[in-house]
Amino acid sequence: MYSASIMTILLSHEMGHYVMSRRYGVPATLPYFIPLPMPPFGTLGAIIRMKGVILNKKALFDIGVAGPLSGFVVAIPFIVLGIKLSEIQHIAGSNIPFLQLGDPLLFKILQKMLLGDIPEGYDLVLHPFAYAGWVGLFVTALNLLPVGQLDGGHVVYAVFGNRSKWVFAASITVLAILSIVYNPGWLLLVVLLLIFGMRHPQPLDMETGLDTTRKLLALLVLVIFLLSFTPAPFPDTNIFKNTNNTGGIPI
């Protein structure tokens, strides 16, 4: 169930990019998955390859937001149904191998609405649907980081143009601080972004700006990022431990 669910979410994300790329005449491959048959995800995600030049900021923005919006919308039903099917179990002091998960704001809100408070000493063992939805939020948040050629970088570049380099730098700085004072796992992402992702190619037309609708949509994308992001996806690796988390999965 997890495999089919996460593939559906990832496919929706990439198909959003693919459909919008074709709409603007940007050649793109169909999505393909990168398998990784080991925990915690079982995959390195899905990608498409785009060739050619993007004409203007409007096209850049639309292609950039289409993927995260599609994946986010598809992930929500899996989260809702998965939380309803998940089990509250007594985990503290048990010998059950258990991977603790962080708490994206949206997941925490939906869990509170659907299940109420989890008693102390108990935890939520996520149904595969819920875990796939959690991974979908994690992927959405990573892609919406406002850096370089990530989806969030496309959005920021479309909104701010060449001034986006300051947003890129600020984002890298925040991630570096998180890796030092909170969770060292972000350091790998910082290194990868510094190596591969800081520069952004310009569309042909840099003069035509975004309309009001797209600027409002950019604010919505920011809200989605805040709802999906967690500074500690896997709290067991935190520098400072925190037991108030979404739940977890048996391993």
Side-chain angles (χ1 to χ4, degrees):
M1 285 187 287
Y2 167 75
S3 297
S5 304
I6 191 58
M7 288 179 69
T8 299
I9 295 170
L10 295 176
L11 181 62
S12 300
H13 181 119
E14 295 304 329
M15 284 302 296
H17 289 314
Y18 175 79
V19 170
M20 199 59 66
S21 297
R22 297 302 297 266
R23 176 185 174 187
Y24 283 104
V26 178
T29 66
L30 287 168
Y32 55 94
F33 292 89
I34 306 174
L36 182 68
M38 58 185 296
F41 301 137
T43 177
L44 287 176
I47 61 173
I48 66 171
R49 298 189 65 182
M50 292 186 292
K51 301 178 181 179
V53 179
I54 295 177
L55 294 179
N56 52 44
K57 291 181 179 180
K58 174 184 173 182
L60 176 64
F61 180 88
D62 290 356
I63 293 171
V65 301
L69 288 179
S70 300
F72 180 80
V73 169
V74 172
I76 291 176
F78 284 105
I79 295 172
V80 172
L81 179 58
I83 289 176
K84 289 183 176 181
L85 295 174
S86 298
E87 297 181 5
I88 299 174
Q89 295 185 10
H90 188 271
I91 299 297
S94 71
N95 294 321
I96 300 174
F98 190 73
L99 177 63
Q100 192 79 47
L101 300 176
D103 49 358
L105 182 57
L106 178 63
F107 208 106
K108 181 183 289 187
I109 292 171
L110 292 175
Q111 179 180 307
K112 180 79 170 181
M113 291 172 57
L114 296 169
L115 299 179
D117 294 323
I118 305 296
E120 187 174 351
Y122 288 76
D123 219 326
L124 186 66
V125 179
L126 297 183
H127 185 274
F129 285 166
Y131 181 50
W134 184 94
V135 174
L137 293 184
F138 180 67
V139 170
T140 297
L142 286 184
N143 278 281
L144 285 179
L145 287 170
V147 181
Q149 296 190 54
L150 296 176
D151 296 337
H154 296 328
V155 173
V156 168
Y157 196 87
V159 173
F160 296 108
N162 291 327
R163 292 174 296 170
S164 60
K165 63 183 179 182
W166 301 110
V167 181
F168 295 172
S171 301
I172 289 291
T173 301
V174 171
L175 288 174
I177 292 172
L178 283 177
S179 69
I180 293 171
V181 303
Y182 194 43
N183 192 295
W186 292 112
L187 184 59
L188 176 60
L189 181 60
V190 169
V191 172
L192 291 175
L193 290 173
L194 287 173
I195 294 174
F196 298 109
M198 289 298 290
R199 300 186 65 182
H200 195 289
Q202 291 186 352
L204 288 179
D205 176 11
M206 284 291 292
E207 299 301 321
T208 304
L210 300 180
D211 54 36
T212 301
T213 300
R214 286 180 172 81
K215 290 178 180 178
L216 292 175
L217 187 56
L219 292 177
L220 175 62
V221 168
L222 174 60
V223 172
I224 290 174
F225 171 74
L226 295 175
L227 288 172
S228 303
F229 183 77
T230 174
F234 304 105
D236 288 340
T237 64
N238 280 9
I239 295 173
F240 303 105
K241 300 297 182 182
N242 176 14
T243 58
N244 183 24
N245 298 297
T246 285
I249 56 171
I251 56 174

